[in-house]
Amino acid sequence: NGLIENTARKRMISDFKESVCSSIHCITNHVKAKLLENTLFGMGNPLLDISAVVDKDFLDKFGLKPNDQILAEDKHKALFEEIVKRNKVEYHAGGSTQNSVKIAQWMIQEPHKVATFFGCIGNDHFGEILKKKAEEAHVDAHYYEQNEEPTGTCAACITGDNRSLVANLAAANCYKKEKHLDLDSNWELVKKAKVYYIAGFFLTVSPESILKVAKHASDNNKIFCMNLSAPFISQFFKEPLMKVMPYVDILFGNETEAATFAKELGFETDDIAEIAKKTQNLPKDNTKRQRVVVFTQGKDDTVATVGETVTMFPVVDIDQNAIVDTNGAGDAFVGGFLSALVQENKLEECIRAGHYAANVIIKRVGCTFPEKPDYQ
């Protein structure tokens, strides 16, 4: 009898485990099923990142400082041809928005092509590499290809622990709303999305494209996110920025960008929490969603508006010696945040995912990542 009871009990436990596993499988499948292709939409300046180790003579030849970020001038044109002849050249799909959607897709893993990306490239060799790299990152990139300007590139000239960045926007500046965004097949992809993200840099290229996407999101109660991107955006592109602001549901920025934005808008405060609150209260088109403002501060707490309050979120502790390159940290934070947002997580969880992604990226050169995230 004992043997029969024991066998029956084992079978019951086995059946119970199976039903629990089946339920968990159903739940996880349900979560995955919610994530469809093209749920996240990004639009911006696509650049092919080209990294190579160079020597001091190379820097001197092109008048570069070891640690710097500049826009390419005429004297730098030959640099891009010369750097690719170096040994051990690495290529990555880059540019601020493309970095963020690429990281969001990496955090999500599957399904592939949750992230869509629009931007302009040249009909050339670098353009082909960029398409291949976006495909490898499982991003559904639909580029507007033209022949007037070559594909935008960003050369990372590495000497020891330093890297000198030289960006040549070129084709990225040539995006045309009527030739790409307005096409029915492309606009259908925009309509499929539930979350939209555009870095402020794109205000210098096609503010009319941003407005079209932002209004669509607002009219359909979807989530439109934007980034202040750099102090010069608030300083010199304030008018197009403020035209888009009423449609912004989530605004990102760092402490320097926040301070410049506050100064340009006459907030008369340099307190980051107060700046976040005043930014949250700027006029908003879709009143069904309260604006969320998220300001990162490097190793200091991230500041975010949560309902009527401003909350501080500590970043992940890191040994300062483990930091290799903080360049992609902002893009990575946004990417991690968006990966949780498209899965309809709460703000706190989105920030946690953002902090995780930034923590991974700053331990590596460039905006690169391991094969899979180790994130729970």
Side-chain angles (χ1 to χ4, degrees):
N1 273 359
L3 187 64
I4 294 168
E5 272 180 26
N6 212 2
T7 310
R9 197 181 294 121
K10 276 185 179 168
R11 187 172 295 140
M12 276 173 68
I13 290 167
S14 166
D15 288 352
F16 174 70
K17 277 185 179 169
E18 210 169 289
S19 86
V20 168
C21 288
S22 164
S23 302
I24 289 168
H25 188 67
C26 278
I27 291 164
T28 51
N29 268 4
H30 177 64
V31 171
K32 291 289 186 195
K34 267 199 329 188
L35 265 184
L36 302 171
E37 281 188 8
N38 312 114
T39 304
L40 171 64
F41 176 85
M43 179 166 62
N45 299 336
L47 300 176
L48 179 67
D49 286 342
I50 307 168
S51 305
V53 174
V54 300
D55 50 26
K56 190 178 175 297
D57 290 348
F58 185 89
L59 296 182
D60 293 345
K61 180 177 178 180
F62 294 104
L64 303 175
K65 294 175 191 159
N67 233 354
D68 207 7
Q69 295 183 54
I70 60 164
L71 283 176
E73 298 169 38
D74 281 343
K75 66 178 180 182
H76 300 119
K77 290 282 189 278
L79 180 152
F80 295 93
E81 286 151 29
E82 204 167 305
I83 198 167
V84 299
K85 292 174 187 161
R86 301 253 147 186
N87 53 357
K88 286 177 84 169
V89 176
E90 280 189 25
Y91 295 103
H92 298 282
S96 184
T97 302
Q98 190 163 235
N99 276 340
S100 293
V101 299
K102 190 173 81 168
I103 283 163
Q105 181 64 56
W106 168 70
M107 287 282 285
I108 290 161
Q109 288 286 302
E110 285 184 346
H112 293 164
K113 297 188 175 181
V114 169
T116 315
F117 179 77
F118 284 9
C120 181
I121 62 172
N123 224 329
D124 53 24
H125 176 58
F126 282 163
E128 289 306 313
I129 297 175
L130 190 48
K131 284 192 276 190
K132 185 167 162 279
K133 289 294 164 189
E135 199 178 313
E136 284 171 12
H138 307 301
V139 170
D140 193 17
H142 293 255
Y143 298 115
Y144 165 50
E145 298 179 44
Q146 46 75 58
N147 294 308
E148 285 163 40
E149 285 283 344
T151 296
T153 43
C154 180
C157 309
I158 301 163
T159 50
D161 291 339
N162 295 318
R163 60 203 293 264
S164 190
L165 300 178
V166 187
N168 181 26
L169 294 178
N173 274 325
C174 302
Y175 191 82
K176 299 277 187 290
K177 173 179 165 286
E178 63 284 356
K179 290 193 175 172
H180 194 259
L181 186 68
D182 291 347
L183 301 182
D184 289 346
S185 58
N186 289 335
W187 189 248
E188 281 306 314
L189 286 169
V190 176
K191 280 163 47 178
K192 270 178 87 174
K194 290 179 182 170
V195 175
Y196 302 84
Y197 173 66
I198 300 174
F201 292 123
F202 202 57
L203 287 164
T204 70
V205 175
S206 186
E208 60 281 4
S209 295
I210 301 177
L211 270 174
K212 182 174 181 178
V213 172
K215 283 178 180 171
H216 165 79
S218 186
D219 292 347
N220 294 278
N221 195 29
K222 296 176 181 181
I223 304 171
F224 182 79
C225 314
M226 196 151 187
N227 203 316
L228 293 173
S229 290
F232 80 85
I233 298 294
S234 297
Q235 289 168 316
F236 306 114
F237 296 89
K238 181 176 145 192
E239 193 187 329
L241 174 64
M242 295 320 290
K243 271 188 186 164
V244 180
M245 199 54 72
Y247 306 104
V248 177
D249 295 300
I250 302 177
L251 182 71
F252 298 102
N254 66 26
E255 72 277 39
T256 317
E257 294 149 11
T260 306
F261 182 70
K263 193 177 167 195
E264 289 299 323
L265 266 71
F267 283 174
E268 295 182 349
T269 179
D270 53 11
D271 178 80
I272 194 142
E274 216 176 307
I275 295 170
K277 195 73 206 145
K278 288 191 175 214
T279 305
Q280 181 187 36
N281 292 332
L282 289 169
K284 192 163 187 304
D285 186 69
N286 176 14
T287 51
K288 290 179 202 154
R289 290 184 189 278
Q290 187 178 25
R291 181 180 292 120
V292 172
V293 179
V294 184
F295 291 145
T296 55
Q297 307 187 86
K299 65 181 187 309
D300 296 325
D301 294 359
T302 293
V303 178
T305 56
V306 183
E308 296 309 312
T309 59
V310 177
T311 308
M312 302 291 186
F313 295 89
V315 300
V316 184
D317 277 339
I318 184 170
D319 173 3
Q320 293 301 302
N321 296 323
I323 298 173
V324 173
D325 182 1
T326 57
N327 245 319
D331 294 341
F333 172 82
V334 172
F337 186 104
L338 294 172
S339 73
L341 185 65
V342 294
Q343 295 177 77
E344 295 173 18
N345 283 301
K346 288 192 169 134
L347 178 68
E348 293 81 347
E349 183 51 37
C350 295
I351 289 173
R352 193 171 80 87
H355 284 163
Y356 168 80
N359 185 268
V360 170
I361 264 67
I362 61 176
K363 294 175 192 161
R364 303 167 67 91
V365 173
C367 203
T368 62
F369 36 77
E371 193 186 340
K372 287 191 170 161
D374 175 22
Y375 180 71
Q376 276 83 39

